[in-house]
Amino acid sequence: MKRTARLAGLLWLLSTVTGGFGLAYMWSNIIVPGDPAATAGNIHASEFWFRAAIAGILFGQVFMFFVGLTLFHLFREVNRRMATVLLASGLMSVGLAVANTLNHFAALLVLSQADFLKVFNHEQLEAIALVFLRLANGPGQGLLEIFWAPFYLSLGLLVIKSGYIPKVIGVLLMIMGAGFAVNILGKFLIPQFHPVMFTRLAMSFGALGGIPTILWLLIKGAKEPPQTSEA
């Protein structure tokens, strides 16, 4: 059990590092909101690192795929139905995230100066590329976050029920899931109402629940349940 928990922690850490690098690089070094020319210039100036960021996002989702499988294996005897919700939510999120990266490749294609794109002028191509990037990092990101809410809520409940990990971490995970649910509602229903505030709040809740969980799984593993110890 400890080995399974530590494997989940390691995979989750790798997913956070690789995926976090990709998303952070996109926003800090590539995307300039409202400025298609500057965004296109950033891609042309550092295309290798742009592609590396895409690869980081994809590797992060591969690691997250195995996080879901490993956590399901760890918690399936605690509550199989809740563990199935956890697994299904994780796999749906991964599938949507991988599909969402097509928007990043579309931006590269639009800026590739291919012959069949000559019907568009330079400014139009830059604007289209920015549209793809905003789709990937806006609504596309929001779609995959839909399944983060049930993922973290079910994981929090399993943590509390199992006793493998301190219950306070389970509570933090449930708060994390609720935070993403509020963020999604804000993005899709009232996007004009402080969208940055809601996103930052959700990310703060994510760090509050995710980081302690990763560290506990990686360092401590999982405690044996009382009934197993007594036996």
Side-chain angles (χ1 to χ4, degrees), residues 205-222:
F205 282 142
L208 186 69
I211 293 175
T213 307
I214 293 171
L215 294 177
W216 188 277
L217 289 171
L218 192 60
I219 298 169
K220 293 286 189 178

Side-chain angles (χ1 to χ4, degrees), residues 2 7 17 28-29 50 57 59-60 73 88 98-99 110 125-126 131 136 140 145 147-149 197 226:
K2 283 185 178 293
L7 176 60
V17 171
S28 61
N29 296 83
F50 180 69
I57 293 171
F59 275 117
H73 180 70
V98 171
V110 167
L125 291 174
E126 291 175 343
V131 167
E145 287 177 9
F147 293 95
W148 286 5
M197 181 189 73

Side-chain angles (χ1 to χ4, degrees), residues 126-158:
E126 291 175 343
I128 293 170
L130 183 57
V131 167
F132 281 121
L133 292 177
R134 293 301 299 269
L135 279 174
N137 295 277
Q141 184 67 25
L143 286 175
L144 68 95
E145 287 177 9
I146 290 174
F147 293 95
W148 286 5
F151 179 87
Y152 290 113
L153 286 169
S154 58
L155 178 56
L157 288 170
L158 287 166

